mmCIF file of all heavy atoms in Angstrom:
data_model
loop_
_atom_site.group_PDB
_atom_site.id
_atom_site.type_symbol
_atom_site.label_atom_id
_atom_site.label_comp_id
_atom_site.label_asym_id
_atom_site.label_seq_id
_atom_site.Cartn_x
_atom_site.Cartn_y
_atom_site.Cartn_z
ATOM 1 N N GLU M 47 -22.962 -44.298 -59.401
ATOM 2 C CA GLU M 47 -23.823 -43.335 -60.083
ATOM 3 C C GLU M 47 -24.595 -44.080 -61.172
ATOM 4 O O GLU M 47 -24.072 -44.984 -61.820
ATOM 5 C CB GLU M 47 -23.008 -42.218 -60.720
ATOM 6 C CG GLU M 47 -22.337 -41.292 -59.731
ATOM 7 C CD GLU M 47 -21.589 -40.186 -60.431
ATOM 8 O OE1 GLU M 47 -22.251 -39.281 -60.967
ATOM 9 O OE2 GLU M 47 -20.352 -40.266 -60.467
ATOM 10 N N VAL M 48 -25.840 -43.670 -61.392
ATOM 11 C CA VAL M 48 -26.690 -44.300 -62.398
ATOM 12 C C VAL M 48 -27.367 -43.231 -63.240
ATOM 13 O O VAL M 48 -27.865 -42.231 -62.707
ATOM 14 C CB VAL M 48 -27.768 -45.198 -61.744
ATOM 15 C CG1 VAL M 48 -28.712 -45.765 -62.796
ATOM 16 C CG2 VAL M 48 -27.120 -46.332 -60.952
ATOM 17 N N ILE M 49 -27.385 -43.459 -64.544
ATOM 18 C CA ILE M 49 -28.136 -42.625 -65.481
ATOM 19 C C ILE M 49 -29.287 -43.473 -65.990
ATOM 20 O O ILE M 49 -29.101 -44.634 -66.349
ATOM 21 C CB ILE M 49 -27.251 -42.191 -66.669
ATOM 22 C CG1 ILE M 49 -26.239 -41.143 -66.232
ATOM 23 C CG2 ILE M 49 -28.102 -41.676 -67.826
ATOM 24 C CD1 ILE M 49 -25.250 -40.784 -67.325
ATOM 25 N N GLN M 50 -30.486 -42.896 -66.023
ATOM 26 C CA GLN M 50 -31.656 -43.576 -66.567
ATOM 27 C C GLN M 50 -32.067 -42.902 -67.872
ATOM 28 O O GLN M 50 -31.937 -41.683 -68.016
ATOM 29 C CB GLN M 50 -32.828 -43.487 -65.601
ATOM 30 C CG GLN M 50 -32.644 -44.248 -64.310
ATOM 31 C CD GLN M 50 -33.796 -43.947 -63.368
ATOM 32 O OE1 GLN M 50 -33.893 -42.859 -62.850
ATOM 33 N NE2 GLN M 50 -34.657 -44.942 -63.163
ATOM 34 N N ALA M 51 -32.598 -43.702 -68.792
ATOM 35 C CA ALA M 51 -33.092 -43.164 -70.057
ATOM 36 C C ALA M 51 -34.163 -44.094 -70.611
ATOM 37 O O ALA M 51 -34.261 -45.255 -70.207
ATOM 38 C CB ALA M 51 -31.948 -43.008 -71.055
ATOM 39 N N CYS M 52 -34.962 -43.574 -71.537
ATOM 40 C CA CYS M 52 -36.016 -44.372 -72.158
ATOM 41 C C CYS M 52 -36.047 -44.094 -73.657
ATOM 42 O O CYS M 52 -35.437 -43.134 -74.129
ATOM 43 C CB CYS M 52 -37.365 -44.043 -71.534
ATOM 44 S SG CYS M 52 -37.860 -42.321 -71.716
ATOM 45 N N ASN M 53 -36.783 -44.931 -74.379
ATOM 46 C CA ASN M 53 -36.921 -44.697 -75.811
ATOM 47 C C ASN M 53 -37.926 -43.573 -76.059
ATOM 48 O O ASN M 53 -38.860 -43.355 -75.284
ATOM 49 C CB ASN M 53 -37.298 -45.977 -76.565
ATOM 50 C CG ASN M 53 -38.555 -46.671 -76.087
ATOM 51 O OD1 ASN M 53 -38.882 -46.668 -74.909
ATOM 52 N ND2 ASN M 53 -39.264 -47.299 -77.013
ATOM 53 N N VAL M 54 -37.694 -42.840 -77.164
ATOM 54 C CA VAL M 54 -38.552 -41.722 -77.555
ATOM 55 C C VAL M 54 -38.843 -41.882 -79.040
ATOM 56 O O VAL M 54 -37.937 -41.767 -79.869
ATOM 57 C CB VAL M 54 -37.865 -40.363 -77.280
ATOM 58 C CG1 VAL M 54 -38.769 -39.214 -77.727
ATOM 59 C CG2 VAL M 54 -37.489 -40.230 -75.809
ATOM 60 N N GLU M 55 -40.097 -42.177 -79.354
ATOM 61 C CA GLU M 55 -40.485 -42.382 -80.751
ATOM 62 C C GLU M 55 -40.855 -41.070 -81.413
ATOM 63 O O GLU M 55 -41.087 -40.051 -80.752
ATOM 64 C CB GLU M 55 -41.667 -43.355 -80.824
ATOM 65 C CG GLU M 55 -41.316 -44.746 -80.394
ATOM 66 C CD GLU M 55 -42.474 -45.715 -80.493
ATOM 67 O OE1 GLU M 55 -43.654 -45.284 -80.616
ATOM 68 O OE2 GLU M 55 -42.212 -46.921 -80.424
ATOM 69 N N ASN M 56 -40.937 -41.128 -82.745
ATOM 70 C CA ASN M 56 -41.296 -39.968 -83.541
ATOM 71 C C ASN M 56 -42.092 -40.450 -84.747
ATOM 72 O O ASN M 56 -41.843 -41.556 -85.243
ATOM 73 C CB ASN M 56 -40.017 -39.238 -83.984
ATOM 74 C CG ASN M 56 -40.307 -37.908 -84.605
ATOM 75 O OD1 ASN M 56 -40.671 -37.830 -85.768
ATOM 76 N ND2 ASN M 56 -40.146 -36.851 -83.824
ATOM 77 N N ALA M 57 -43.002 -39.633 -85.229
ATOM 78 C CA ALA M 57 -43.791 -39.998 -86.406
ATOM 79 C C ALA M 57 -42.889 -40.292 -87.603
ATOM 80 O O ALA M 57 -43.200 -41.127 -88.446
ATOM 81 C CB ALA M 57 -44.788 -38.891 -86.747
ATOM 82 N N SER M 58 -41.759 -39.616 -87.666
ATOM 83 C CA SER M 58 -40.733 -39.930 -88.666
ATOM 84 C C SER M 58 -39.827 -40.962 -88.011
ATOM 85 O O SER M 58 -38.920 -40.633 -87.253
ATOM 86 C CB SER M 58 -39.945 -38.669 -89.023
ATOM 87 O OG SER M 58 -38.885 -38.983 -89.887
ATOM 88 N N TYR M 59 -40.098 -42.243 -88.256
ATOM 89 C CA TYR M 59 -39.500 -43.338 -87.489
ATOM 90 C C TYR M 59 -37.981 -43.276 -87.367
ATOM 91 O O TYR M 59 -37.424 -43.648 -86.348
ATOM 92 C CB TYR M 59 -39.920 -44.695 -88.062
ATOM 93 C CG TYR M 59 -41.394 -44.970 -87.911
ATOM 94 C CD1 TYR M 59 -42.142 -45.446 -88.977
ATOM 95 C CD2 TYR M 59 -42.057 -44.744 -86.703
ATOM 96 C CE1 TYR M 59 -43.502 -45.695 -88.845
ATOM 97 C CE2 TYR M 59 -43.407 -44.984 -86.568
ATOM 98 C CZ TYR M 59 -44.124 -45.464 -87.640
ATOM 99 O OH TYR M 59 -45.466 -45.708 -87.500
ATOM 100 N N GLY M 60 -37.306 -42.789 -88.373
ATOM 101 C CA GLY M 60 -35.846 -42.713 -88.328
ATOM 102 C C GLY M 60 -35.323 -41.761 -87.264
ATOM 103 O O GLY M 60 -34.157 -41.818 -86.879
ATOM 104 N N VAL M 61 -36.170 -40.881 -86.770
ATOM 105 C CA VAL M 61 -35.783 -39.915 -85.744
ATOM 106 C C VAL M 61 -35.921 -40.516 -84.345
ATOM 107 O O VAL M 61 -35.418 -39.972 -83.364
ATOM 108 C CB VAL M 61 -36.625 -38.623 -85.880
ATOM 109 C CG1 VAL M 61 -36.252 -37.589 -84.831
ATOM 110 C CG2 VAL M 61 -36.461 -38.036 -87.270
ATOM 111 N N THR M 62 -36.575 -41.652 -84.243
ATOM 112 C CA THR M 62 -36.742 -42.332 -82.959
ATOM 113 C C THR M 62 -35.379 -42.627 -82.348
ATOM 114 O O THR M 62 -34.430 -42.962 -83.059
ATOM 115 C CB THR M 62 -37.534 -43.646 -83.171
ATOM 116 O OG1 THR M 62 -38.852 -43.304 -83.578
ATOM 117 C CG2 THR M 62 -37.580 -44.484 -81.914
ATOM 118 N N ILE M 63 -35.284 -42.504 -81.025
ATOM 119 C CA ILE M 63 -34.021 -42.824 -80.341
ATOM 120 C C ILE M 63 -34.283 -43.920 -79.317
ATOM 121 O O ILE M 63 -35.267 -43.895 -78.584
ATOM 122 C CB ILE M 63 -33.373 -41.585 -79.681
ATOM 123 C CG1 ILE M 63 -31.988 -41.945 -79.119
ATOM 124 C CG2 ILE M 63 -34.270 -40.977 -78.628
ATOM 125 C CD1 ILE M 63 -31.128 -40.765 -78.761
ATOM 126 N N CYS M 64 -33.397 -44.891 -79.325
ATOM 127 C CA CYS M 64 -33.485 -46.006 -78.382
ATOM 128 C C CYS M 64 -33.054 -45.555 -76.985
ATOM 129 O O CYS M 64 -32.307 -44.583 -76.836
ATOM 130 C CB CYS M 64 -32.572 -47.152 -78.827
ATOM 131 S SG CYS M 64 -32.998 -47.858 -80.427
ATOM 132 N N ALA M 65 -33.496 -46.280 -75.979
ATOM 133 C CA ALA M 65 -33.155 -45.947 -74.593
ATOM 134 C C ALA M 65 -31.642 -45.974 -74.362
ATOM 135 O O ALA M 65 -31.101 -45.112 -73.663
ATOM 136 C CB ALA M 65 -33.850 -46.915 -73.636
ATOM 137 N N GLU M 66 -30.966 -46.953 -74.953
ATOM 138 C CA GLU M 66 -29.527 -47.091 -74.735
ATOM 139 C C GLU M 66 -28.754 -45.907 -75.313
ATOM 140 O O GLU M 66 -27.839 -45.378 -74.679
ATOM 141 C CB GLU M 66 -29.006 -48.388 -75.363
ATOM 142 C CG GLU M 66 -29.670 -49.635 -74.838
ATOM 143 C CD GLU M 66 -30.890 -50.066 -75.658
ATOM 144 O OE1 GLU M 66 -31.802 -49.241 -75.899
ATOM 145 O OE2 GLU M 66 -30.940 -51.241 -76.060
ATOM 146 N N ARG M 67 -29.129 -45.477 -76.521
ATOM 147 C CA ARG M 67 -28.448 -44.325 -77.117
ATOM 148 C C ARG M 67 -28.838 -43.034 -76.408
ATOM 149 O O ARG M 67 -28.033 -42.111 -76.310
ATOM 150 C CB ARG M 67 -28.701 -44.256 -78.613
ATOM 151 C CG ARG M 67 -27.858 -45.304 -79.339
ATOM 152 C CD ARG M 67 -28.001 -45.251 -80.833
ATOM 153 N NE ARG M 67 -29.255 -45.905 -81.179
ATOM 154 C CZ ARG M 67 -30.036 -45.540 -82.184
ATOM 155 N NH1 ARG M 67 -29.717 -44.531 -82.953
ATOM 156 N NH2 ARG M 67 -31.160 -46.187 -82.425
ATOM 157 N N ALA M 68 -30.057 -42.960 -75.885
ATOM 158 C CA ALA M 68 -30.447 -41.804 -75.072
ATOM 159 C C ALA M 68 -29.553 -41.733 -73.834
ATOM 160 O O ALA M 68 -29.103 -40.652 -73.435
ATOM 161 C CB ALA M 68 -31.920 -41.905 -74.679
ATOM 162 N N ALA M 69 -29.265 -42.896 -73.235
ATOM 163 C CA ALA M 69 -28.367 -42.929 -72.071
ATOM 164 C C ALA M 69 -26.965 -42.454 -72.453
ATOM 165 O O ALA M 69 -26.322 -41.737 -71.673
ATOM 166 C CB ALA M 69 -28.316 -44.335 -71.473
ATOM 167 N N VAL M 70 -26.507 -42.828 -73.624
ATOM 168 C CA VAL M 70 -25.181 -42.377 -74.090
ATOM 169 C C VAL M 70 -25.162 -40.861 -74.227
ATOM 170 O O VAL M 70 -24.201 -40.197 -73.813
ATOM 171 C CB VAL M 70 -24.786 -43.065 -75.418
ATOM 172 C CG1 VAL M 70 -23.583 -42.379 -76.060
ATOM 173 C CG2 VAL M 70 -24.493 -44.548 -75.185
ATOM 174 N N VAL M 71 -26.216 -40.284 -74.787
ATOM 175 C CA VAL M 71 -26.282 -38.829 -74.943
ATOM 176 C C VAL M 71 -26.260 -38.143 -73.575
ATOM 177 O O VAL M 71 -25.532 -37.175 -73.365
ATOM 178 C CB VAL M 71 -27.536 -38.427 -75.753
ATOM 179 C CG1 VAL M 71 -27.752 -36.916 -75.719
ATOM 180 C CG2 VAL M 71 -27.414 -38.919 -77.191
ATOM 181 N N ILE M 72 -27.043 -38.653 -72.634
ATOM 182 C CA ILE M 72 -27.049 -38.079 -71.279
ATOM 183 C C ILE M 72 -25.666 -38.211 -70.645
ATOM 184 O O ILE M 72 -25.144 -37.263 -70.052
ATOM 185 C CB ILE M 72 -28.131 -38.756 -70.408
ATOM 186 C CG1 ILE M 72 -29.521 -38.434 -70.948
ATOM 187 C CG2 ILE M 72 -27.989 -38.326 -68.947
ATOM 188 C CD1 ILE M 72 -30.623 -39.301 -70.357
ATOM 189 N N MET M 73 -25.060 -39.392 -70.780
ATOM 190 C CA MET M 73 -23.739 -39.655 -70.211
ATOM 191 C C MET M 73 -22.719 -38.636 -70.716
ATOM 192 O O MET M 73 -22.018 -37.995 -69.918
ATOM 193 C CB MET M 73 -23.288 -41.073 -70.591
ATOM 194 C CG MET M 73 -21.846 -41.381 -70.257
ATOM 195 S SD MET M 73 -21.282 -42.951 -70.971
ATOM 196 C CE MET M 73 -21.057 -42.493 -72.690
ATOM 197 N N VAL M 74 -22.650 -38.466 -72.021
ATOM 198 C CA VAL M 74 -21.668 -37.554 -72.605
ATOM 199 C C VAL M 74 -21.969 -36.111 -72.191
ATOM 200 O O VAL M 74 -21.054 -35.360 -71.841
ATOM 201 C CB VAL M 74 -21.624 -37.707 -74.140
ATOM 202 C CG1 VAL M 74 -20.785 -36.611 -74.780
ATOM 203 C CG2 VAL M 74 -21.073 -39.088 -74.511
ATOM 204 N N SER M 75 -23.237 -35.728 -72.175
ATOM 205 C CA SER M 75 -23.589 -34.351 -71.805
ATOM 206 C C SER M 75 -23.254 -34.050 -70.342
ATOM 207 O O SER M 75 -23.046 -32.896 -69.974
ATOM 208 C CB SER M 75 -25.064 -34.072 -72.082
ATOM 209 O OG SER M 75 -25.891 -34.792 -71.208
ATOM 210 N N GLN M 76 -23.160 -35.109 -69.515
ATOM 211 C CA GLN M 76 -22.779 -34.926 -68.110
ATOM 212 C C GLN M 76 -21.281 -35.108 -67.885
ATOM 213 O O GLN M 76 -20.817 -35.093 -66.751
ATOM 214 C CB GLN M 76 -23.557 -35.911 -67.230
ATOM 215 C CG GLN M 76 -25.024 -35.594 -67.154
ATOM 216 C CD GLN M 76 -25.776 -36.538 -66.240
ATOM 217 O OE1 GLN M 76 -25.226 -37.465 -65.653
ATOM 218 N NE2 GLN M 76 -27.065 -36.306 -66.101
ATOM 219 N N GLY M 77 -20.526 -35.298 -68.962
ATOM 220 C CA GLY M 77 -19.078 -35.405 -68.847
ATOM 221 C C GLY M 77 -18.582 -36.774 -68.408
ATOM 222 O O GLY M 77 -17.421 -36.923 -68.034
ATOM 223 N N LYS M 78 -19.427 -37.764 -68.478
ATOM 224 C CA LYS M 78 -19.023 -39.123 -68.099
ATOM 225 C C LYS M 78 -18.556 -39.859 -69.349
ATOM 226 O O LYS M 78 -18.969 -39.557 -70.456
ATOM 227 C CB LYS M 78 -20.181 -39.860 -67.441
ATOM 228 C CG LYS M 78 -20.597 -39.266 -66.104
ATOM 229 C CD LYS M 78 -21.816 -39.977 -65.566
ATOM 230 C CE LYS M 78 -22.238 -39.511 -64.209
ATOM 231 N NZ LYS M 78 -22.324 -38.094 -63.989
#
Side-chain angles (χ1 to χ4, degrees):
E47 292 182 73
V48 176
I49 287 174
Q50 293 173 289
C52 60
N53 56 326
V54 179
E55 293 181 344
N56 190 280
S58 175
Y59 294 133
V61 180
T62 294
I63 186 166
C64 298
E66 302 92 308
R67 284 183 281 146
V70 167
V71 170
I72 294 167
M73 170 190 76
V74 170
S75 69
Q76 291 182 359
K78 294 175 176 47

